[in-house]
């Protein structure tokens, strides 16, 4: 059902009491103008539309129907958002869930947790990601939320939706002194590695000083985005209250680990990554190497969910390297297996039924 | 530790599995300009300052320190907010908690759940409480949130802070056809019953049609406020997902029951009120009669917490009929006893220590 990569034998300690914990799924969203650089992101039908993707992802996830614009996010090829996976797994567990707005271009038209310093991220090739001071402010916002939502008997699953996120994640890791060029994944089967590196080079030139950047918050303000620093704060607050946390996402989550490690946090036995086999087996990125370099005490659990027998082309594309991860899809499925013991076949059945439903409503093509 | 008033023998069914449930405390805030009518509310040092009380209450509750203005809410006599009780009980349980903004005059300077239709309530003697359509919109916002936050194994505790709330609660109940004049409580020992009735009369004249108002949402838009309808929606969504709910508050919560009953919901075994003995024993109001008339299937659990031996005058005032309830104080203490089995003496000790702390910071007078 799922497999685990576990460098430091910490999985058992992490997983042993998970079944007795109360699970709360928390999906973080933000926009970064970095996603509007042509070629950087296919998480939307056009570069400009990627700004709306986080909002539409979570409206669809929670309400079953987008509200702000009547569109469920698709790639230019028409492949639907991984929120379809998340929504299906979540509906089977009937678990509690929440959305946190760290700086979406449009605030979703439903109840969400608003961070007081939520702000749309700048386009990092030409401008800073965040206003001065906002690196720490967003971290503290996330930390306050993590402390409030956590409890000693809870498991928090943190997912994300922010197009352009692998690019800013790479830039954060590089700025903090970790090798990340060519190691972050992409929603496209042709990872625009060269373009991402160009964006980083421009950001480095703009910055004009040496890296690694000593001050973590400064690094995020120059090279990052509003999302990853908020999630890092959330994890910090949550584990302080003895909660366990699954970071539900791909290589982006390695930037969260990088922030936490540079801040000196101990993650052992408290934090795991939950993702998909599409991420782990991706040859154009290297989540395993990133975790090994940054935080080998963090195990990676990945679901074996596969769409090779999917009756819909829009899902079969996933097997050809499209999408791979997002909106906490992998970690939500892993958790549904880990905590509820849901068979993968059941999850898949519900995903196919959900695809059928949204195809019937005209949001995606049936074949 | 606590006692229960249980007209229809529903307490046992409500309480039997509570210890196995995961508790999440949710504090709803809003402002109603009704609180600025001189004499209506002492939940603030002056009528105008009552508009800030919900924001400062929850900032202090969650962060231990107010942020928006450097003031912890007090009555004109200097008696501190019941949030001091809530904060103490909550800190002992270390439980998960959240704040929902239904229309605070100022949004708190921390992460809160923002309802998309959050709006400050109008002064109901001279204007409608809500813009047209907002009765149902806020109900749906609350319902969406209730569905998302609830799970089949959770217990949700819903508290509130909104000065002027007993007046609008009375008006809602009357508009829906329940006798409520002279039956709602007050934070003052001299309940301004006559003044509250005047406000209702003016609202009735302004409305100019017959009551009871058939349409629940219309009743709330004319006579109510943004808070109670949002909580009612929240309860509706939560019990639909098989969660149990404790309404943590005094006579105000009877207006939530009135809304839910008029909408035809079955509350038996799923909803209880949690409050204080100060409310239940108050001679100027009648929570027991209100619940009996409106929803006798809802048991009332009230904590026996008493401040007669308090070393601080600011708390001894509570025994003289001041404050009584608010910010979910009673229900939070009841839950800490019911779920964690906390002895009342321990809760009291922590409250006294907390009073000492905020007195040391200059927020309240020591004697």
């Amino acid at each position: 059902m799922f497999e685990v990569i576990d460098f430091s034998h910490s999985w058992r300690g992490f997983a042993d009491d998970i079944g007795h914990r109360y699970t709360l799924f928390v999906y973080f969203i933000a926009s970064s103008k970095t996603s509007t650089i042509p070629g950087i992101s296919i998480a939307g039908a056009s570069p400009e539309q990627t700004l709306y993707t986080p909002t539409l992802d979570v409206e669809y996830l929670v309400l079953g129907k987008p509200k702000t614009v009547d569109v469920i996010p698709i790639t230019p090829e028409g492949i639907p958002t991984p929120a379809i996976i998340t929504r299906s797994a979540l509906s089977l567990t009937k678990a509690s869930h929440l959305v946190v707005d760290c700086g979406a271009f449009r605030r979703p038209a439903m109840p969400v947790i608003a961070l007081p310093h939520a702000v749309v991220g700048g386009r990092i090739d030409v401008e800073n990601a965040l206003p001065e001071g906002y690196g720490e402010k967003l971290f503290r916002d996330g930390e306050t939320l993590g402390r409030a939502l956590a409890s000693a008997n809870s498991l928090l699953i943190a997912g994300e939706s922010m197009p352009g996120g692998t690019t800013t994640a790479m830039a954060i890791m590089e700025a903090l002194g970790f090798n990340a060029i060519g190691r972050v994944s992409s929603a496209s089967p042709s990872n625009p590695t060269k373009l991402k590196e160009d964006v980083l080079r421009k950001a480095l030139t703009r910055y004009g000083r040496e890296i690694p950047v000593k001050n973590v918050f400064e690094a995020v303000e120059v090279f990052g985005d509003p999302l990853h620093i908020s999630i890092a704060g959330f994890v910090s607050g949550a584990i302080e209250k003895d909660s366990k946390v699954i970071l539900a996402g791909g290589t982006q989550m390695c930037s969260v680990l990088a922030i936490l490690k540079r801040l000196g946090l101990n993650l052992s036995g408290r934090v795991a990554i939950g993702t998909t086999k599409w991420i782990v087996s991706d040859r154009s990125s290297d989540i395993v190497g990133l975790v090994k370099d940054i935080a080998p005490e963090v195990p990676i659990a990945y679901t074996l969910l596969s769409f090779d027998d999917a009756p819909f082309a829009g899902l079969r594309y996933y097997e050809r390297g499209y999408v791979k991860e997002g909106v906490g899809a992998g970690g939500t499925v892993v958790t549904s297996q880990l905590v509820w013991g849901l068979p993968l076949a059941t999850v898949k059945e519900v995903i196919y039924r959900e695809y059928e439903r949204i195809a019937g409503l005209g949001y995606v093509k049936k074949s």
Side-chain angles (χ1 to χ4, degrees), chain A:
Chain A
M1 305 228 290
F2 65 88
E3 300 205 341
V4 181
I5 296 162
D6 187 14
F7 296 111
S8 60
H9 308 288
S10 52
W11 175 252
R12 213 163 139 184
F14 180 82
D16 66 350
D17 67 348
I18 287 291
H20 302 292
R21 287 176 176 261
Y22 181 83
T23 52
L24 176 59
F25 293 86
V26 189
Y27 300 96
F28 292 78
I29 60 168
S31 302
S32 163
K33 289 187 182 159
T34 307
S35 72
T36 64
I37 302 171
I40 277 286
S41 173
I42 62 160
S46 72
E48 284 308 315
Q49 279 177 268
T50 60
L51 290 174
Y52 289 86
T53 295
T55 302
L56 301 175
D57 266 346
V58 294
E59 288 176 350
Y60 160 66
L61 174 67
V62 173
L63 306 170
K65 205 178 159 2
K67 299 267 275 187
T68 297
V69 186
D70 196 21
V71 165
I72 289 179
I74 51 169
T75 69
E77 296 83 1
I79 309 167
T81 169
I84 184 176
I85 300 172
T86 318
R87 178 169 164 80
S88 301
L90 209 53
S91 75
L92 278 164
T93 67
K94 299 194 203 306
S96 308
H97 53 276
L98 272 173
V99 169
V100 182
D101 179 9
C102 312
F105 188 67
R106 288 286 184 85
R107 179 153 292 169
M110 63 180 192
V112 298
I113 295 179
L115 299 189
H117 300 96
V119 61
V120 172
R123 195 181 133 162
I124 63 164
D125 56 342
V126 297
E127 64 190 343
N128 271 4
L130 299 174
E132 211 183 311
Y134 272 56
E136 180 159 7
K137 283 181 170 132
L138 283 167
F139 184 86
R140 299 294 164 216
D141 285 351
E143 195 170 49
T144 299
L145 179 64
R147 282 192 194 115
L149 272 184
S151 78
N153 60 338
S154 61
L155 167 67
L156 303 176
I157 297 92
E160 61 69 36
S161 172
M162 187 187 75
T166 56
T167 303
T168 55
M170 176 197 64
I172 292 168
M173 290 186 272
E174 285 283 335
L176 294 177
F178 296 105
N179 293 327
I181 294 172
R183 300 176 90 185
V184 293
S185 71
S186 166
S188 164
S190 344
N191 196 336
T193 309
K194 183 76 195 55
L195 180 56
K196 290 179 186 177
E197 196 178 332
D198 282 351
V199 171
L200 173 64
R201 299 276 163 236
K202 284 179 185 154
L204 286 168
T205 306
R206 196 171 52 67
Y207 181 55
R209 273 160 282 168
E210 288 282 289
I211 60 165
V213 184
K214 283 256 169 57
N215 183 308
V216 173
F217 302 123
E218 182 188 332
V220 170
E221 285 166 20
V222 178
F223 295 94
D225 58 76
L227 181 92
H228 294 105
I229 189 71
S230 303
I231 299 178
F234 180 78
V235 174
S236 170
I239 63 179
E240 180 190 312
K241 285 264 302 277
D242 294 322
S243 186
K244 290 185 175 179
V245 181
I246 291 178
L247 293 170
T251 50
Q252 284 190 238
M253 289 303 181
C254 299
S255 73
V256 174
L257 298 180
I259 293 166
L260 291 168
K261 291 295 284 191
R262 286 291 186 247
L263 290 172
L265 271 86
N266 172 18
L267 309 179
S268 187
R270 300 144 157 236
V271 177
I273 284 182
T275 189
T276 64
K277 67 147 179 127
W278 300 306
I279 288 288
V280 172
S281 62
D282 176 33
R283 289 189 192 177
S284 79
S285 67
D286 182 18
I287 193 170
V288 175
L290 286 170
V291 171
K292 196 171 180 182
D293 288 356
I294 298 168
E297 71 273 32
V298 173
I300 307 168
Y302 59 99
T303 173
L304 299 178
L305 178 67
S306 151
F307 289 152
D308 50 12
D309 63 354
F312 312 104
L315 294 179
R316 284 195 303 271
Y317 268 113
Y318 277 65
E319 293 301 320
R320 290 164 50 192
Y322 283 91
V323 186
K324 296 187 188 77
E325 175 60 286
V327 202
T332 303
V333 174
V334 166
T335 305
S336 77
Q337 305 183 312
L338 191 60
V339 177
W340 284 266
L342 287 179
L344 211 43
T346 308
V347 176
K348 214 151 75 164
E349 197 184 304
V350 173
I351 294 169
Y352 294 170
R353 212 183 305 145
E354 173 66 5
Y355 192 100
E356 185 101 36
R357 183 183 76 84
I358 61 172
L361 293 170
Y363 290 113
V364 289
K365 281 179 283 187
K366 196 138 178 195
S367 59

